[in-house]
Amino acid sequence: MTEAPQQQALVIPQLIVGLGNPEPKYDKTRHNIGFAAIDALARAWQFPLSEHRKFKGQFGEGLAPKGGKIRLLKPLTYMNLSGQSVQAVNNWYKLSPESVLVIYDDMDLPLGKTRLRLSGSAGGHNGMKSIISHLNNQNFPRLRIGIGKPKGAEEKENGKTVSHVLGKFSATESKLMDQVLDFVVECVELTFKQGVEKAMNRCNSWNVNL
């Protein structure tokens, strides 16, 4: 008699983390699209965000639409120390790594493209390196938002890459990213209803209207 296959538990986020840098000069830069995503979620769900010293970040919590209790976090530690903030929240609420969804920028994705995954490496992103190190685990979901590569930039042209990542979106790009952030809200809400794995179909096939 063969055993029935075990039903895999749905991965439902309980903490949404957006990555960025805290100073005003980094506001609305490509590298801070994770912060912009948390702001969009906070607006959509009417969650107040406030600075939380224990968590080293801006933090808010409430009931998600058609979901349970959800927490939003913007680490204020600077990008390469983001893991300190995430670990502080995880330890306080005794959350598993699988219940943390991290939203961040990805230069290897075309502008406005989104990619939802259940796990993976840091892919050279310093914020992700820090979170993986502090959680001692890379099996947590992440939603990457494409910021594109600078025109004509080669891999070795580090200066051009840095200025692109820390640069601000043009007026045209900003309008496009407003659409992307609206979709990010839809995508995250889908993870509550269907779990991350099923939500991947929708989140990874969507294209922004250029």
Side-chain angles (χ1 to χ4, degrees):
M1 193 173 166
T2 56
E3 282 186 30
Q6 280 193 322
Q7 187 102 22
Q8 222 178 356
L10 290 182
V11 175
I12 309 282
Q14 294 178 55
L15 168 66
I16 316 287
V17 181
L19 299 187
N21 284 308
E23 285 183 74
K25 66 180 179 181
Y26 297 112
D27 193 32
K28 298 189 187 330
T29 59
R30 294 179 180 91
H31 212 26
N32 270 35
I33 196 66
F35 273 14
I38 294 298
D39 290 338
L41 291 166
R43 279 193 304 272
W45 302 341
Q46 299 183 324
F47 281 19
L49 293 174
S50 57
E51 191 164 344
H52 196 298
R53 284 191 181 179
K54 187 180 185 70
F55 297 157
K56 299 181 182 180
Q58 280 199 330
F59 180 80
E61 61 182 327
L63 290 176
K66 297 186 181 175
K69 191 157 204 181
I70 194 73
R71 301 163 184 93
L72 300 175
L73 175 68
K74 290 161 64 176
L76 298 179
T77 53
Y78 287 95
M79 189 69 84
N80 60 353
L81 298 174
S82 301
Q84 293 179 359
S85 178
V86 177
Q87 185 182 42
V89 177
N90 266 37
N91 288 351
W92 182 259
Y93 289 105
K94 297 181 171 55
L95 302 175
S96 68
E98 292 80 12
S99 64
V100 180
L101 171 62
V102 184
I103 305 175
Y104 62 102
D105 61 294
D106 191 337
M107 208 169 64
D108 291 326
L109 283 177
L111 186 73
K113 190 72 182 161
T114 54
R115 277 276 183 280
L116 181 64
R117 292 279 182 268
L118 278 167
S119 62
S121 68
H125 194 285
N126 289 333
M128 289 298 284
K129 283 180 189 171
S130 176
I131 294 172
I132 288 169
S133 170
H134 279 82
L135 296 184
N136 197 26
N137 199 314
Q138 62 179 30
N139 294 324
F140 55 87
R142 68 280 315 269
L143 177 59
R144 293 176 288 144
I145 300 174
I147 60 167
K149 283 188 174 164
K151 285 177 184 172
E154 300 296 324
E155 287 295 321
K156 291 176 185 172
E157 286 189 72
N158 197 41
K160 204 171 210 177
T161 297
V162 170
S163 62
H164 174 73
V165 168
L166 296 181
K168 300 202 176 192
F169 293 108
S170 69
T172 306
E173 288 173 340
S174 291
K175 283 182 183 173
L176 182 144
M177 295 315 286
D178 285 343
Q179 290 181 54
V180 173
L181 291 172
D182 285 344
F183 177 69
V184 164
V185 173
E186 181 190 323
C187 182
V188 170
E189 289 180 359
L190 208 54
T191 67
F192 302 144
K193 297 171 195 169
Q194 301 182 347
V196 171
E197 195 165 14
K198 279 192 178 173
M200 281 162 52
N201 294 329
R202 168 77 176 134
C203 300
N204 296 343
S205 62
W206 181 80
N207 287 301
V208 68
N209 296 316
L210 297 168

